[in-house]
């Protein structure tokens, strides 16, 4: 092998590693032990349905599904929002948007739904600056409906769930996505939701089955979710959640990004593994390409 070919080989290997087996050293800096090297494109050929139905599925294999990036499905993606964190240093809360012309939000015409604000408006403000009309939702902030400034951002104190209900204990109004869309269509029309952001601290597992069964995914061009895993859940419970995500993909949504949360680690108590409990995963709708 000549020098140029050797350098190209090592570049390919170094840029296409998926890492498993997270460990915490005594200095509290997150490190990784490499269990398996996977070519960036090879994971796209994995039969995920077979893997997720395998009787011998391991925890590491399950995390491989959550970490599967499928980056090659989007040629250009941008990250919007986020706040600076330490140990490790980096931006937390960024949401990735595919900017490929076939699915990119069109400035001055795009619609964004953003669930889960927690007084951190950076994603919503950046999408407003990009040129989208943004509807933001969070019942936990103690705020009434209002127009957030600066930006074209309309805030509603509704939470996202699988039905319309009132949580008396939390004093929260919970609504399904289809109900919210029907109510707000008087404001934005029956437009496609160009980007649906969901970051609602475990409640995604309640809302997602309804979003899928109600057919609302047919009105969503891009979807970004931070999924949360519970340290006390069994492998089977985590597998059921992976199957929910897989049903999103089987409905026509194409994954184009996945990033683990380096500030949200824990020890899974039902199987021997320490790893990230949060994953930012994004898809675009393969049935909602823009006209050429």
């Amino acid at each position: 092998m000549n020098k140029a070919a050797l350098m190209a080989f090592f570049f390919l290997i170094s840029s296409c590693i998926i890492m498993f087996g997270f460990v915490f050293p005594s200095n509290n800096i997150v490190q990784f032990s490499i269990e398996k090297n996977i070519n960036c494109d090879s994971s796209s050929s994995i039969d995920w349905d077979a893997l997720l139905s395998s009787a011998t599925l391991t925890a590491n294999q399950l995390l491989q599904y959550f970490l599967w990036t499928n980056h090659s499905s989007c040629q250009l993606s941008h990250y919007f929002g986020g706040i600076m964190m330490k140990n490790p240093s980096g931006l937390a809360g960024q949401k990735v948007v595919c900017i490929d012309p076939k699915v990119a939000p069109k400035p001055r015409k795009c619609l964004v739904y953003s669930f889960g604000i927690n007084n951190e408006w950076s994603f919503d403000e950046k999408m407003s600056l990009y040129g989208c009309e943004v509807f933001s939702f969070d019942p936990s902030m103690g705020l009434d409906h209002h127009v957030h400034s600066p930006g074209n951002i309309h805030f509603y104190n509704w939470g996202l769930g699988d039905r319309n209900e009132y949580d008396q204990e939390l004093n929260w109004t919970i609504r399904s996505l289809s109900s919210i869309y029907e109510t707000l269509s008087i404001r934005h029309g029956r437009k496609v939701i160009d980007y649906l952001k969901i970051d609602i601290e475990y409640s995604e597992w309640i809302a997602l089955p309804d979003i899928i069964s109600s057919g609302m995914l047919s009105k969503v061009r891009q979807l970004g979710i931070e999924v949360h895993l519970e340290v006390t859940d069994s492998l089977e419970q985590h597998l059921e959640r992976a199957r929910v995500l897989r049903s999103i993909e089987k409905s026509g949504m194409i994954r184009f990004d996945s990033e683990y949360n380096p500030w949200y680690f824990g020890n899974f108590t039902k199987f021997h593994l320490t790893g990230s409990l949060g994953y930012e995963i994004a898809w675009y709708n393969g049935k909602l390409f823009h006209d050429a």
Side-chain angles (χ1 to χ4, degrees):
M1 182 180 292
N2 61 37
K3 183 177 180 180
L6 185 63
M7 290 178 67
F9 171 77
F10 280 110
F11 175 80
L12 176 64
I13 294 299
S14 65
S15 64
C16 300
I17 291 177
I18 292 179
M19 293 173 284
F20 295 97
F22 309 96
V23 296
F24 291 97
S26 58
N27 62 5
N28 293 322
I29 298 175
V30 177
Q31 294 183 348
F32 308 92
S33 60
I34 299 174
E35 178 179 293
K36 185 182 295 184
N37 292 346
I38 303 175
N39 181 278
C40 284
D41 294 326
S42 69
S43 61
S44 64
S45 63
I46 292 176
D47 186 339
W48 294 115
D49 296 319
L51 178 68
L52 296 179
S53 63
S54 171
T56 59
L57 178 76
T58 67
N60 274 327
Q61 288 174 322
L62 186 58
L63 286 187
Q64 179 182 341
Y65 172 71
F66 285 110
L67 282 167
W68 168 48
T69 63
N70 201 22
H71 278 157
S72 61
S73 64
C74 175
Q75 299 302 307
L76 179 63
S77 58
H78 287 176
Y79 289 85
F80 289 76
I83 56 174
M84 186 57 66
M85 301 287 286
K86 301 294 184 181
N87 193 29
S89 294
L91 285 171
Q94 288 183 307
K95 307 302 176 184
V96 64
V97 180
C98 184
I99 309 298
D100 284 358
K102 61 185 178 183
V103 293
K106 292 187 175 182
R108 296 175 298 281
K109 297 181 180 180
C110 49
L111 173 65
V112 172
Y113 274 22
S114 175
F115 289 94
I117 310 302
N118 194 26
N119 295 299
E120 206 288 273
W121 296 90
S122 62
F123 169 78
D124 306 64
E125 291 171 351
K126 291 297 188 296
M127 292 307 297
S128 177
L129 287 173
Y130 177 92
C132 297
E133 183 177 24
V134 180
F135 289 82
S136 307
F137 309 87
D138 195 322
S140 71
M141 294 160 54
L143 298 178
D144 293 329
H145 302 343
H146 69 277
V147 176
H148 176 74
S149 180
N152 186 21
I153 303 171
H154 314 280
F155 175 82
Y156 291 84
N157 61 359
W158 300 331
L160 181 63
D162 62 349
R163 68 195 72 186
N164 293 350
E165 59 183 351
Y166 177 71
D167 189 318
Q168 293 185 339
E169 181 178 352
L170 295 173
N171 192 29
W172 290 358
T173 297
I174 307 298
R175 302 187 64 176
S176 68
L177 180 62
S178 58
S179 173
I180 291 172
Y181 182 85
E182 289 300 321
T183 298
L184 295 182
S185 62
I186 195 172
R187 299 200 60 175
H188 56 58
R190 308 197 67 81
K191 297 169 60 176
V192 165
I193 301 172
D194 289 279
Y195 200 95
L196 170 60
K197 184 210 86 175
I198 300 175
D199 188 354
I200 54 177
E201 307 303 319
Y202 297 97
S203 292
E204 66 271 17
W205 303 120
I206 297 173
L208 282 173
D210 173 71
I211 292 173
I212 297 166
S213 64
S214 69
M216 278 301 298
L217 283 178
S218 67
K219 294 180 172 65
V220 176
R221 182 167 281 118
Q222 293 194 49
L223 172 66
I225 307 173
E226 180 168 28
V227 301
H228 302 81
L229 305 182
E230 175 57 60
V231 292
T232 58
D233 283 351
S234 66
L235 181 62
E236 181 60 34
Q237 287 172 304
H238 287 101
L239 176 59
E240 285 304 310
R241 287 167 178 166
R243 287 171 176 162
V244 170
L245 301 186
R246 186 59 184 155
S247 67
I248 292 174
E249 290 152 1
K250 293 175 73 174
S251 73
M253 301 296 284
I254 299 170
R255 188 186 297 207
F256 66 90
D257 196 76
S258 179
E259 307 287 344
Y260 70 88
N261 186 331
W263 301 281
Y264 189 31
F265 274 68
N267 299 302
F268 295 96
T269 59
K270 299 293 178 65
F271 44 89
H272 300 295
L273 188 67
T274 297
S276 180
L277 305 176
Y279 298 84
E280 295 275 7
I281 307 178
W283 301 261
Y284 62 76
N285 194 329
K287 301 176 182 178
L288 283 179
F289 291 159
H290 293 302
D291 294 333

